[in-house]
Amino acid sequence: MKKSVFYHAGCPVCVSAEHDIIELIGKSNVEVVHLGEDKGRISEAENAGIKSVPALVTPTGNVLHINFGASLADVKG
Amino acid sequence: MKKSVFYHAGCPVCVSAEHDIIELIGKSNVEVVHLGEDKGRISEAENAGIKSVPALVTPTGNVLHINFGASLADVKG
């Protein structure tokens, strides 16, 4: 199965959601991307349709915005 | 593993998220509750900390609000 990608920015809401997602989906099925540390991938996240973090992009390309940690604009700072 | 519970209200955003969640977690690992058809469980959802649907309550009791379909107040009508 193609991996899901979990984008976050290190905020408390993000970290909590990350733990839940990994627990539910399995660590081997999800790639975790920290946009605060890896700003080069912010444009990738935008192209995927992400408006805020934390967010999960499913293997089929759907975006699930989970709770609300920060807008992508804030991450870009 | 204890099941997750996915609460929704039949809105398009809910149905789309339901498909994604079932695909990711597996149908046997999640109970789906339609609050529009099963209003008796709205108080259960409120007690779990749900503010809007669709939302997933993990086996550990954490609430993941996914995208935004409708506030619980709207579901209560």
Side-chain angles (χ1 to χ4, degrees):
Chain A
M1 190 171 85
K2 205 176 150 211
K3 279 194 181 192
S4 299
V5 186
F6 180 80
Y7 293 94
H8 74 107
C11 55
V13 169
C14 295
V15 172
S16 171
E18 180 186 339
H19 289 163
D20 290 331
I21 290 294
I22 286 178
E23 187 73 27
L24 289 169
I25 304 180
K27 199 176 179 59
S28 60
N29 294 322
V30 55
E31 179 190 2
V32 176
V33 177
H34 189 321
L35 291 176
E37 293 173 351
D38 199 353
K39 288 182 181 286
R41 296 186 69 172
I42 290 177
S43 60
E44 169 194 313
E46 282 182 314
N47 288 338
I50 289 175
K51 306 291 184 202
S52 64
V53 287
L56 186 76
V57 178
T58 71
T60 52
N62 286 343
V63 179
L64 300 177
H65 292 97
I66 300 167
N67 295 336
F68 183 83
S71 72
L72 213 55
D74 289 337
V75 176
K76 290 160 95 169
Chain B
M1 189 170 85
K2 205 177 151 210
K3 279 195 182 193
S4 301
V5 186
F6 180 80
Y7 294 94
H8 72 107
C11 54
V13 169
C14 296
V15 172
S16 170
E18 180 185 340
H19 288 162
D20 290 331
I21 290 294
I22 286 178
E23 187 73 25
L24 290 168
I25 305 180
K27 199 174 177 61
S28 59
N29 294 322
V30 55
E31 178 190 4
V32 176
V33 177
H34 189 320
L35 291 177
E37 294 173 350
D38 199 353
K39 288 182 181 285
R41 295 186 68 173
I42 291 178
S43 61
E44 168 195 313
E46 283 182 314
N47 289 337
I50 288 175
K51 307 290 183 203
S52 64
V53 287
L56 186 76
V57 178
T58 72
T60 52
N62 287 343
V63 179
L64 299 178
H65 293 96
I66 299 168
N67 296 336
F68 183 83
S71 73
L72 214 55
D74 289 336
V75 176
K76 290 160 95 169

